[in-house]
Amino acid sequence: MHEEPASAPEPVPVVRAVDGGTARLLPDLDRARAWLLTVDDAPQSYVDLDEPRHLEFEYVRRLAHVIDCAADEGTPLTVWHLGGGALTLPRYVAATRPGSAQHVVEADGALLALVAERLPIPDDSGITVHGADARRWLEAAPDGAADLLIADVFGGSTIPAHLTSVEYARQAARVLGADGIYAVNLADGAPFGFLRSQLATLAAVFPELALIAEPSVLRGRRFGNTVLAASRRPLDTAALARRAAADAFPARVEHGAALRRRAGRAAPVRDSGAVPSPRPPDGAFSV
């Protein structure tokens, strides 16, 4: 009697207590080896192990646009990631810029262990993961060591206060080369007190800024993510705008005078007065 070979077991959700709360890895039934990572029901990462170029979250796509426009296509870069999650962007860089050297800093050791167990990275990926506080690790890093510094750090649903100040931004600038780019994922809503303060803070350190966000967020119609890029050299805002406009949910790029008007009279944030980013309203980012 001929027997059919046994089929692979269906992927099932994984629930694990981590330092930041309750983490869940949820399989995407439409993609064979794709997973959504949530912490306390807030989406943190989406990873397709078979296609690391696939970026599900719009704000992650916008961070990727900054990476894509940082150098010629395929050129290896030294990229540091503050905040790890499921390592979505490090996997993307490894796929699109082979030979890149990447360091990922994530304070949640239990989350790192879960990702290493369930969503391991290839041994030859060029990605090194560090269990450490982002700012402390940055302060101990050498000058001019990175081409790109990507910050996507959330303690629960807010950005920790010590990653929002001028003193922190100076450390970010110090570890970047002269042409280096800092890119950060921010979250805010009208009247944009936090976003304005971050514009003023980064402008006190970097002469060139560009903001990428959906028009509905920029108009204050809803709370949402914005990506802010900063550098000592001019950013390719035209290329960023083309990529952002071509997304499934098109975004706009603001820079120059428009961005200065958006910052208004906001003052740079110092360590002594730093506060976390605002907590999202209920349902803003939940699954």
Side-chain angles (χ1 to χ4, degrees), residues 66-154:
V66 177
I67 297 169
D68 292 341
C69 294
D72 291 340
E73 182 177 351
T75 301
L77 295 170
T78 301
V79 187
W80 291 6
H81 305 263
L82 305 183
L87 311 183
T88 304
L89 275 175
R91 299 172 202 263
Y92 175 83
V93 172
T96 58
R97 296 180 178 275
S100 293
Q102 300 189 80
H103 293 275
V104 181
V105 185
E106 170 60 59
D108 193 325
L111 181 61
L112 287 178
L114 172 62
V115 171
E117 174 190 336
R118 296 287 180 161
L119 308 173
I121 54 176
D123 292 337
D124 60 352
S125 66
I127 300 169
T128 304
V129 179
H130 308 265
D133 174 80
R135 180 157 170 183
R136 290 181 182 177
W137 193 83
L138 199 63
E139 289 172 344
D143 295 356
D147 300 311
L148 278 165
L149 180 59
I150 310 295
D152 187 12
V153 183
F154 281 77

Side-chain angles (χ1 to χ4, degrees), residues 154 157 186-190 192 216-217 220-225 277-281 284-285:
F154 281 77
S157 58
L186 304 172
D188 201 5
F192 296 113
S216 62
V217 173
R221 294 178 179 172
R222 65 179 182 86
F223 192 99
N225 295 100
S277 64
R279 189 173 298 278
F285 295 130

Side-chain angles (χ1 to χ4, degrees), residues 19-34:
D19 301 343
T22 299
R24 287 179 170 83
L25 279 174
L26 307 173
D28 184 342
L29 300 181
D30 293 327
R31 302 179 73 93
R33 293 210 305 151

Side-chain angles (χ1 to χ4, degrees), residues 233-246:
R233 52 117 166 157
L235 296 161
D236 192 345
T237 53
L240 284 174
R242 286 193 299 270
R243 290 173 180 268

Side-chain angles (χ1 to χ4, degrees), residues 135 161-170 201 269-271 274:
R135 180 157 170 183
H162 68 302
L163 303 181
T164 67
S165 67
V166 168
E167 291 88 344
Y168 160 76
R170 286 175 180 154
T201 297
V269 176
R270 305 288 174 177
D271 273 343

